[in-house]
Amino acid sequence: MTFLAVAFVTFFFCLIAVPALMGLAEFFCLFAVVQERESQVFLLFGRVVGVLSEPGLHFLPLKIGPQSLLIRFFGGVRKVDMRIDQEYLRSQPVNSEEGTPMGIGVWYEMAVSDPVEYLFRNTDPRGSLRANVRNAAVRCLSNMPLQSLLEDRHSMSHRVRDEVSPKSIAWGYQLGSVYIRKVHFRDQQMIQQIEQKVVNRLRQVTSAIRQQGANQVAIIRSGAERTAAKEFAHAAAVRPYLVGKAIQEIAADREILNAVFEILETEKMLHGDVALTVIPPDKDGLLKRLLAAEEPAQSQVPPLPAAS
């Protein structure tokens, strides 16, 4: 029975009493827990009596003194988010040195560096920083040459950052990176003219490339034809010499010469437009006479046309 009573009291103490006591101690500012990238500002009678920026557990009577017990009744605790934040301002209107209306997009990041200045120096530090960046971008980047606006974004970013940083520090903000993210034309008619110029330029470049290719093909073709004509002429020039030399070599042997002439005559007969009759060897010549008797008309010579 005693064991159950002790267990119940311990359970009640750990589950309810300890959290209740910790809550009361935190309410009366006996301690404070500061999260990462967070600051707590303690106010008493309208004055700042303590600022905690280091993350961890802090005992306020040791940090602030016994007056910490009065903070909940005659003051308050303000928590400030110290994390890095970012913002993007689209199409800020500027004019180039040539009078061209341009739009500039500015991206920047910032974080609270002084929580007291952030809370009490300006009622809307974020809005003021936004307006300051917008004014600095218009003031620093107006009347720049158009080519510099389109190409030199690194120096433009530095100019805006140098212009804004002193004022942002006075408001408790630390300005981080500033980047000119986009530069564009604001006049729609000018955009259409530039697009038309780009299209025309692309057409000219395409036509020039096509013409250059055609010229290269024509040069290669004419060179090939010239080389071929030269080789053909050389072959035609050396052909009689080579044929004569071959016939001279063949004529050295009488049998080979007769065989060549016989082959040439046979090929000429085969390719000619005449009827051929193959006759086997006949000693008496009887077969020849019979064939001649069957086709007397074919063997006759055609009559000559009559003289007019």
Side-chain angles (χ1 to χ4, degrees):
M1 188 65 181
T2 305
F3 174 76
L4 293 177
V6 173
F8 178 76
V9 171
T10 304
F11 176 76
F12 176 79
F13 182 78
C14 293
L15 182 64
I16 299 176
V18 171
L21 292 176
M22 294 293 291
L24 288 175
E26 186 176 8
F27 178 77
F28 288 106
C29 294
L30 292 176
F31 71 92
V33 178
V34 180
Q35 303 296 330
E36 189 74 27
R37 303 296 297 177
E38 181 190 68
S39 288
Q40 295 185 6
V41 180
F42 298 91
L43 305 176
L44 182 62
F45 300 115
R47 295 186 300 108
V48 178
V49 295
V51 178
L52 297 178
S53 299
E54 294 294 330
L57 178 64
H58 299 272
F59 293 98
L60 296 181
L62 298 178
K63 294 283 185 178
I64 301 175
Q67 57 185 352
S68 63
L69 300 176
L70 302 177
I71 289 177
R72 291 295 181 183
F73 302 100
F74 303 101
V77 180
R78 301 285 299 273
K79 295 183 179 180
V80 180
D81 190 356
M82 305 286 286
R83 292 177 296 181
I84 297 176
D85 199 359
Q86 58 183 359
E87 194 162 344
Y88 180 59
L89 303 179
R90 299 179 182 275
S91 189
Q92 303 303 309
V94 298
N95 290 327
S96 67
E97 188 180 26
E98 296 82 0
T100 306
M102 305 292 292
I104 294 178
V106 183
W107 175 90
Y108 63 95
E109 62 180 8
M110 67 286 189
V112 176
S113 59
D114 190 337
V116 178
E117 299 292 340
Y118 172 77
L119 290 175
F120 303 108
R121 178 60 66 90
N122 196 322
T123 56
D124 185 12
R126 188 184 182 92
S128 298
L129 179 62
R130 184 186 307 113
N132 194 14
V133 172
R134 182 181 292 113
N135 295 332
V138 175
R139 185 169 55 254
C140 297
L141 305 182
S142 294
N143 297 323
M144 288 183 64
L146 181 60
Q147 185 174 359
S148 299
L149 283 175
L150 296 176
E151 296 178 355
D152 197 6
R153 298 186 184 184
H154 185 68
S155 64
M156 293 163 59
S157 303
H158 276 283
R159 293 178 64 176
V160 174
R161 188 178 187 280
D162 295 340
E163 181 73 15
V164 177
S165 291
K167 186 67 71 177
S168 65
I169 292 175
W171 293 337
Y173 259 128
Q174 182 178 6
L175 192 65
S177 299
V178 178
Y179 179 61
I180 303 300
R181 187 175 176 181
K182 182 179 180 181
V183 179
H184 63 92
F185 295 95
R186 289 188 291 114
D187 191 350
Q188 191 64 30
Q189 185 177 1
M190 181 176 293
I191 294 174
Q192 294 177 356
Q193 292 177 355
I194 293 174
E195 290 178 349
Q196 188 62 38
K197 288 182 178 178
V198 172
V199 171
N200 293 336
R201 181 58 180 163
L202 289 176
R203 288 177 179 172
Q204 292 176 358
V205 171
T206 303
S207 299
I209 293 174
R210 187 176 299 169
Q211 185 62 39
Q212 185 178 3
N215 294 338
Q216 292 292 335
V217 171
I219 292 173
I220 294 173
R221 180 179 298 171
S222 62
E225 290 178 352
R226 184 173 62 254
T227 304
K230 182 179 178 181
E231 294 299 330
F232 283 142
H234 182 262
V238 300
R239 182 175 180 277
Y241 169 75
L242 295 177
V243 173
K245 185 178 179 181
I247 293 175
Q248 185 178 4
E249 293 176 356
I250 291 172
D253 192 337
R254 193 65 182 177
E255 294 181 359
I256 295 175
L257 180 62
N258 293 333
V260 170
F261 283 126
E262 187 175 354
I263 291 172
L264 293 176
E265 185 178 1
T266 304
E267 287 184 350
K268 189 174 182 181
M269 291 175 62
L270 291 175
H271 290 87
D273 189 12
V274 296
L276 296 177
T277 302
V278 180
I279 301 173
D282 186 7
K283 296 180 179 179
D284 300 335
L286 179 61
L287 186 56
K288 296 179 180 178
R289 288 195 296 272
L290 290 175
L291 290 175
E294 288 179 356
E295 297 179 357
Q298 298 181 359
S299 60
Q300 293 180 356
V301 178
L304 296 174
S308 59

